Amino acid sequence: MKTSDIERVLTDLDHTRLTKLAEARGSAPLPIPVLEPLQDLLTDAHVVPSREVGKDIVTVYSQLLVRLPGSNEPSQIALCYPNDAELTKGFVSVLSPMGLALLGLSAGQTAQWQSPS
């Protein structure tokens, strides 16, 4: 699913930081499977000042409960930037398929993503 298929809201701070990650040159450019959906999100999202984002919008460092298919119990996660990711502690990189699918959604919306495995 293309990120533009669902309305997304990004804070101006998240938009700026993610744009810098997308434009980063050097030893570790973003792989195409991450770069394309990230660029789509950055292009299509509605950007709002950080102080004006709704409390129900998923932003970087939001803590949220997600219910994965086949699971009756939700899991608590927090979206974070790649350097802070630690999946065993529930910190999911915003650049992971899950992170890109969740960022900018409102509480209650359904996200779809393809995991690497």
Side-chain angles (χ1 to χ4, degrees):
M1 175 177 290
K2 190 177 172 197
T3 58
S4 62
D5 293 344
I6 300 171
E7 180 170 282
R8 305 293 189 98
V9 176
L10 292 181
T11 66
D12 52 359
L13 180 60
D14 287 346
H15 190 274
T16 298
R17 288 181 175 170
L18 291 169
T19 297
K20 287 181 182 178
L21 284 173
E23 294 172 349
R25 308 280 188 252
S27 60
L30 295 177
I32 297 299
V34 171
L35 187 57
E36 288 178 359
L38 176 58
Q39 287 175 329
D40 288 343
L41 176 61
L42 293 171
T43 300
D44 298 336
H46 177 67
V47 180
V48 298
S50 297
R51 292 181 181 172
E52 294 178 17
V53 71
K55 293 180 182 182
D56 66 334
I57 301 295
V58 177
T59 64
V60 177
Y61 293 111
S62 287
Q63 292 186 16
L64 55 148
L65 295 174
V66 295
R67 182 167 293 136
L68 301 174
S71 174
N72 292 329
E73 295 297 318
S75 299
Q76 183 170 347
I77 65 165
L79 290 188
C80 63
Y81 291 105
N83 290 341
D84 297 331
E86 196 167 340
L87 195 53
T88 59
K89 293 187 178 182
F91 290 95
V92 176
S93 171
V94 69
L95 297 182
S96 69
M98 177 191 264
L100 285 170
L102 292 170
L103 186 65
L105 293 180
S106 298
Q109 283 187 295
T110 300
Q112 294 180 352
W113 64 89
Q114 182 82 29
S115 68
S117 60

